[in-house]
Amino acid sequence: MSKRIKELLGSDPDGSLVKAEGWVKTRRDGKNVTFLEISDGSCLKGLQIVVDREKTDDKELEGVTTGASVTAEGYLVKSQGEQSVEMQLEKLTLLGSCPEDYPLQKKRHTVEFLREKAHLRARTNLFGAVARVRNTMSYAIHSFFQENGFVYVNTPLITASDCEGAGEQFQVTTLDISNPPRKEDGKVDYSKDFFGRMTNLTVSGQLEGETYALALKDIYTFGPTFRAENSNTTRHLAEFWMVEPEMAFCDLYGDMDVAERFLKYIFSRTLEKNEEDMKFFDSFVLKGVIDTLEHVINSPFEHMTYTDAIKILEKENSRFDFPVHWGSDIQSEHERYLTEVVAKRPVIVTDYPKEIKSFYMKLNEDGKTVRGMDVLAPRLGEIIGGSEREWRLDVLEERMKELGLRKEDYWWYLELRKYGSVPHAGFGLGFERAVQYVTGVQNIRDVIPYPRYVKSAEF
Ligand code: ATP
Ligand code: MN
């Protein structure tokens, strides 16, 4: 039976006969020997296969070029090179040849070029490592919550509610958009649409998540999220994965505590399980990324209120493109200043002005700020956004009125506050932002297999 290359590389070079399967990464022809490196994605390194050409029929090596798929049988022996083991070939079988126009010939490619070859890029060192780290992180997310008694809940992807109220939603419709049914006033008649109303792809599972938290206490969601972000940034996708825990009988302090323990847990797991991949990122993607993560894991996060953060930032207004004052949004450059210059570690900013946060955040006694929190990470900025939810029916209704939100649209959300309401809190982690942070990969488009963003949905 064939073994994964990772397993073979970790075995004793005991001369046993083994079989490996994979794609040829490189081929080097010497005078009497040919060296092949084959890789099967199980780890960063490939297995070196030594072909003694005196013993091998030349035909066997025909068509065995970079990118070709092969199975190789041979003896696992001690390697002369940097690796501990290599295979002394007995029998090579070519499965799929790979002509010269293969775009991933052995040389360095830019990530921009590879984005156009997204169907092949997982075969490169970089994208293979990203995929393995992404896998570990997904699993760690589930492990963290499962070990802490949270229930995994699947919230709908098609929804009629707009959680963030930001108008960044993709519409879902089966109407003929070139000729939709219209009402007398000329507006589109959505009662004729598939769901009998206007629907969108979800921008967050939070509201539905809250309903389950108010029954099961601690829940989390982990699923796709869609935002028609019309911004060309290195940290926004139109389709991304979000992790959203929600905890009943929990306030903002409990929320921040879970957020911090959660991030540290998934970072540690990845350093532990993907040592080789992480070393690769550290050498070729972002120098020092391992140290940064270790530092994050070992130091308590800094806490500051929005008001204090603004006080600090205002003094430095001359250095910012967007000077701040109380009431302004904290933007990327400010987030970086707070984390990289002021705290030199992640910072949790709390108690934002209500005007710049969502309607569902709990209003503070001052009537001006809300119990929201953002976790900001050095070099990335916002990685988590969360809050204690407004659980008092009258205050929530008042807030919605101020914002012009219609009670009818949120009737079920409001009923949660009517029937056995409790303090509760939660947060959302953008999964790709977390992968970006851990790997040091600069652009979010390179940490998801098939990125969707403005003007791009190929594959
Ligand atoms: P930002 O200000 O960075 O756009 P946001 O305030 O819109 O973020 P939230 O609505 O709080 O973010 O969403 C929760 C989390 O989801 C964010 O902290 C971030 O990690 C992630 N996130 C938000 N929008 C995107 C996006 N377009 N692509 C990838 N991740 C995102
Ligand atoms: Mn946003």
Side-chain angles (χ1 to χ4, degrees):
M1 210 186 76
S2 63
K3 285 190 176 161
R4 298 301 303 267
I5 287 172
K6 184 180 181 182
E7 207 184 323
L8 291 173
L9 290 175
S11 317
D12 288 334
D14 57 4
S16 57
L17 185 64
V18 293
K19 184 171 167 187
E21 301 159 327
W23 292 266
V24 177
K25 271 191 138 167
T26 52
R27 170 179 176 163
R28 281 182 297 128
D29 291 296
K31 230 167 123 211
N32 307 312
V33 238
T34 290
F35 295 100
L36 300 173
E37 188 193 347
I38 70 166
S39 158
D40 69 354
S42 57
C43 57
L44 195 68
K45 290 201 189 87
L47 176 68
Q48 167 143 290
I49 296 180
V50 186
V51 190
D52 182 345
R53 284 213 311 279
E54 295 199 336
K55 289 204 291 184
T56 318
D57 187 351
D58 276 353
K59 271 220 178 106
E60 229 172 296
L61 283 171
E62 238 170 68
V64 178
T65 54
T66 299
S69 52
V70 296
T71 61
E73 286 164 76
Y75 300 103
L76 209 56
V77 299
K78 201 165 157 28
S79 172
Q80 319 299 323
E82 52 184 278
Q83 285 172 5
S84 53
V85 296
E86 63 188 23
M87 179 189 278
Q88 202 73 56
L89 186 77
E90 269 300 301
K91 183 168 184 278
L92 190 72
T93 312
L94 175 68
L95 298 172
S97 61
C98 189
E100 261 168 44
D101 60 359
Y102 181 52
L104 304 184
Q105 296 300 341
K106 178 92 185 165
K107 67 167 188 138
R108 279 234 174 179
H109 301 285
T110 64
V111 285
E112 289 78 16
F113 170 79
L114 291 170
R115 239 170 260 153
E116 289 166 20
K117 311 283 175 214
H119 58 307
L120 297 171
R121 67 178 180 170
R123 295 188 195 177
T124 62
N125 286 341
L126 175 66
F127 288 91
V130 167
R132 285 185 297 272
V133 163
R134 207 182 143 101
N135 170 62
T136 299
M137 289 177 72
S138 299
Y139 192 65
I141 285 166
H142 284 292
S143 304
F144 175 83
F145 289 120
Q146 295 297 328
E147 286 166 16
N148 285 284
F150 285 64
V151 175
Y152 178 39
V153 170
N154 304 115
T155 48
L157 299 189
I158 299 174
T159 140
S161 61
D162 178 359
C163 176
E164 298 298 318
E168 290 174 339
Q169 296 191 297
F170 289 103
Q171 198 178 328
V172 176
T173 182
T174 53
L175 294 178
D176 174 3
I177 55 164
S178 60
N179 183 27
R182 293 190 187 274
K183 293 188 289 193
E184 273 171 17
D185 61 6
K187 291 192 177 141
V188 175
D189 184 1
Y190 285 107
S191 69
K192 302 258 163 49
D193 204 347
F194 188 90
F195 295 106
R197 60 193 299 175
M198 190 166 150
T199 49
N200 299 296
L201 290 177
T202 185
V203 292
S204 160
Q206 180 200 317
L207 303 191
E208 289 91 349
E210 282 184 49
T211 68
Y212 267 66
L214 267 67
L216 301 169
K217 188 163 152 20
D218 294 337
I219 65 101
Y220 69 107
T221 69
F222 184 9
T225 307
F226 308 87
R227 294 190 187 178
E229 305 267 11
N230 211 341
S231 50
N232 245 308
T233 77
T234 55
R235 40 179 224 147
H236 288 94
L237 290 166
E239 179 181 289
F240 62 99
W241 287 64
M242 185 129 82
V243 183
E244 295 184 282
E246 189 71 36
M247 296 147 295
F249 306 96
C250 179
D251 61 11
L252 192 68
Y253 298 105
D255 198 29
M256 293 190 288
D257 179 54
V258 173
E260 181 168 343
R261 283 193 291 121
F262 168 65
L263 284 177
K264 290 178 171 176
Y265 180 97
I266 55 179
F267 294 171
S268 322
R269 270 297 159 96
T270 312
L271 288 176
E272 231 170 80
K273 289 198 165 175
N274 294 67
E275 209 184 318
E276 186 194 32
D277 294 322
M278 289 306 302
K279 281 187 184 146
F280 170 82
F281 293 124
D282 206 299
S283 310
F284 298 105
V285 176
L286 185 70
K287 294 244 164 353
V289 67
I290 294 178
D291 274 352
T292 329
L293 291 174
E294 276 168 356
H295 178 62
V296 168
I297 292 165
N298 295 317
S299 47
F301 291 6
E302 178 85 38
H303 291 244
M304 61 176 84
T305 63
Y306 168 87
T307 303
D308 287 342
I310 291 292
K311 278 188 196 143
I312 295 171
L313 294 168
E314 263 181 329
K315 292 201 195 110
E316 302 294 330
N317 262 340
S318 59
R319 67 196 297 153
F320 299 130
D321 294 337
F322 299 94
V324 294
H325 54 85
W326 201 93
S328 33
D329 241 323
I330 296 186
Q331 307 203 27
S332 179
E333 55 176 341
H334 314 122
E335 295 173 346
R336 296 195 60 167
Y337 184 79
L338 291 173
T339 51
E340 290 166 24
V341 182
V342 181
K344 301 193 168 61
R345 52 192 163 128
V347 175
I348 309 187
V349 178
T350 60
D351 303 288
Y352 287 79
K354 62 179 177 184
E355 286 77 17
I356 58 171
K357 289 288 176 189
S358 301
F359 75 95
Y360 51 70
M361 295 193 186
K362 187 180 177 216
L363 191 64
N364 279 318
E365 304 238 310
D366 62 13
K368 290 192 296 199
T369 58
V370 288
R371 291 306 262 159
M373 62 106 172
D374 280 0
V375 181
L376 314 179
R379 75 182 153 71
L380 185 72
E382 180 183 335
I383 185 166
I384 280 180
S387 66
E388 185 172 339
R389 319 304 186 189
E390 184 54 76
W391 64 290
R392 299 161 297 184
L393 183 61
D394 52 335
V395 186
L396 184 59
E397 284 184 341
E398 188 52 37
R399 188 77 193 106
M400 288 176 63
K401 211 160 96 192
E402 272 172 41
L403 291 167
L405 297 172
R406 301 190 324 161
K407 271 202 292 201
E408 308 84 87
D409 293 343
Y410 295 88
W411 65 272
W412 52 270
Y413 189 69
L414 290 166
E415 280 196 355
L416 285 184
R417 274 75 182 161
K418 185 175 164 195
Y419 303 127
S421 191
V422 290
H424 60 289
F427 62 82
L429 165 82
F431 181 51
E432 284 73 20
R433 294 227 183 137
V435 180
Q436 233 186 321
Y437 192 67
V438 167
T439 57
V441 167
Q442 213 257 331
N443 197 318
I444 197 166
R445 296 170 187 176
D446 301 322
V447 296
I448 187 165
Y450 294 101
R452 267 79 181 99
Y453 49 95
V454 201
K455 301 278 182 281
S456 179
E458 184 74 44
F459 307 104

